[in-house]
Amino acid sequence: MGGIADVARLAGVSKSTASRALTGSGYVSERTRKRVLDAAASLGYVPSTSAVSLATGRTQTVGVVMPYVNRWFFAEVLEGIQHALLERGLDLALYDAKPGTPGRRRIFEHFLARKRFDGLIAVGLEPEDEELERMLALERPVVSVVAATTATSVVSIDDGHAARRATEHLIDLGHRDIVFLGGGATAHWAHVDRRRMSGYVETMTDAGLSEHVRHVRSDVTCPGGYAAAVDLLGDARRRPTAIVGVCDEVAIGAIIAARRLGIRVPSELSVVGIDDHEYAEMFSLTTLRQVPREQGAAAVALLERHLADPGLPPTEVRLKPTLVMRTSTAHPDALQSAMAVDMRATPR
């Protein structure tokens, strides 16, 4: 691999011109820039990040902090962020800030304070007041993916709309006894779960079904949804005809519980989720689709705008989820209709 002097010699320019063309730190004509870039590519030369930082005052790195890296939503958002950064030739510094851990405290007190990034993307972080103050005090632009704050720019889906649309779908099918499953298992409710719960309650109330509003709490995981659904569906006296899961993982847990209990989906129980998780198709789950990778890419684009214009005020990018129809929902009389067909078809 050649050095900067070799690149300059091959391109027929001075070392300073080659440096400006490669780092973007000063004016170089497009024709000259292309000649330098072509020379660098042919020699396999890549400018070091330290050299670029010295020339531009930028680290060429974006920090990403999230509470989990091994859960579907967060992993998908991270993939979208990484792909968008690679397209821009930027590096990624990842901080795994699990709630309530000493590691999270060290991240906010020490690692973020080192400012080894040009901007920060916080994914589903829901920071405490002190943590939010520390992020804002970094004097670096911050973009959140899913957040309840207006202090930073935010990229998210309309969670209230997602829950309303899911509930409306079940009401339109003829369901009245609809349970909202998931969230609220601990004293600390995630803002996303609260917004989805509110969308469900509002839709039920608007439809004149406020007396049927019911929330069954659970961890926002597949096992959590399964455990809560076993308890709910195991009692025939309080068994609903339909469930709105706070997310697909909870909804899938409910479907598994129904199968274990011998309850047929959708003829005896309709289930709707929110997310369009990678397993949703496998369980034929009707759901409200969001695309986390798109949210990650949108967060990078929004951060880029803040880096280009430090005076840009906090901006919200809200994406609308779309209903994906599969076969986990049906009219509540579907079982009776199926039984009637079976009886007519049985020889006497």
Side-chain angles (χ1 to χ4, degrees):
M1 182 176 69
I4 185 68
D6 300 306
V7 173
R9 190 178 305 110
L10 183 59
V13 299
S14 66
K15 285 176 60 177
S16 60
T17 298
S19 176
R20 289 199 304 275
L22 291 168
T23 62
S25 60
Y27 175 76
V28 177
S29 71
E30 284 305 312
R31 183 177 178 182
T32 301
R33 187 183 306 278
K34 184 179 184 309
R35 198 162 70 246
V36 172
L37 292 176
D38 289 344
S42 68
L43 293 171
Y45 176 80
V46 178
S48 68
T49 54
S50 58
V52 175
S53 296
L54 285 172
T56 65
R58 296 245 180 116
T59 66
Q60 305 298 303
T61 299
V62 168
V64 177
V65 57
M66 54 175 59
Y68 310 100
V69 296
N70 60 344
R71 293 188 179 181
W72 173 78
F73 174 80
F74 296 94
E76 290 286 303
V77 171
L78 182 59
E79 188 164 335
I81 290 172
Q82 183 176 21
H83 182 73
L85 292 177
L86 286 174
E87 285 185 332
R88 293 163 170 81
L90 300 175
D91 289 322
L92 181 152
L94 178 62
Y95 302 95
D96 182 5
K98 286 184 175 61
T101 62
R104 179 173 174 127
R105 190 164 53 251
R106 286 196 296 272
I107 285 170
F108 279 94
E109 292 179 358
H110 303 293
F111 287 90
L112 295 185
R114 294 173 182 173
K115 303 180 183 180
R116 293 177 175 173
F117 44 79
D118 298 320
L120 190 66
I121 298 176
V123 183
L125 196 60
E126 299 196 358
E128 302 291 339
D129 290 343
E130 182 181 352
E131 292 174 340
L132 180 60
E133 288 176 7
R134 285 183 180 275
M135 283 199 299
L136 297 177
L138 294 173
E139 297 181 345
R140 298 284 193 277
V142 179
V143 172
S144 300
V145 178
V146 182
T149 181
T150 58
T152 72
S153 286
V154 178
V155 176
S156 67
I157 66 164
D158 189 333
D159 291 292
H161 169 81
R164 286 192 294 273
R165 188 69 189 90
T167 309
E168 286 170 358
H169 170 64
L170 294 172
I171 293 173
D172 290 344
L173 286 173
H175 291 277
R176 297 294 178 268
D177 192 359
I178 305 169
V179 164
F180 186 85
L181 179 64
T186 63
H188 176 70
W189 268 71
H191 294 292
V192 168
D193 303 343
R194 285 185 180 277
R195 287 195 291 264
R196 294 180 182 181
M197 172 70 177
S198 296
Y200 156 79
V201 172
E202 290 169 7
T203 305
M204 293 288 283
T205 302
D206 291 345
L209 300 172
S210 56
E211 70 275 14
H212 292 287
V213 168
R214 196 162 26 138
H215 174 218
V216 175
R217 298 168 182 262
S218 83
D219 289 334
V220 186
T221 62
C222 189
Y226 170 81
V230 165
D231 184 55
L232 169 67
L233 302 174
D235 185 350
R237 294 169 300 176
R238 65 189 188 106
R239 183 185 301 161
T241 65
I243 288 174
V244 174
V246 68
C247 67
D248 279 3
E249 291 183 65
V250 166
I252 289 169
I255 290 175
I256 296 171
R259 290 178 180 176
R260 294 282 178 88
L261 294 168
I263 300 168
R264 286 183 279 184
V265 176
S267 57
E268 294 176 274
L269 177 72
S270 287
V271 182
V272 182
I274 300 173
D275 279 339
D276 201 25
H277 188 282
E278 59 184 342
Y279 294 160
E281 177 65 37
M282 186 188 308
F283 286 88
S284 197
L285 177 66
T286 294
T287 186
L288 272 294
R289 173 182 290 160
Q290 64 168 324
V291 186
R293 293 185 192 186
E294 290 182 358
Q295 295 177 53
V300 172
L302 188 51
L303 184 64
E304 193 173 45
R305 289 175 55 194
H306 280 286
L307 289 169
D309 180 7
L312 185 70
T315 303
E316 183 176 14
V317 176
R318 182 171 290 189
L319 309 173
K320 279 268 178 88
T322 55
L323 181 66
V324 178
M325 294 287 293
R326 295 193 179 97
T327 59
S328 66
T329 57
H331 191 281
D333 293 334
L335 177 61
Q336 286 77 4
S337 300
M339 290 174 63
V341 170
D342 289 342
M343 290 178 65
R344 289 196 298 271
T346 303
R348 299 195 179 189

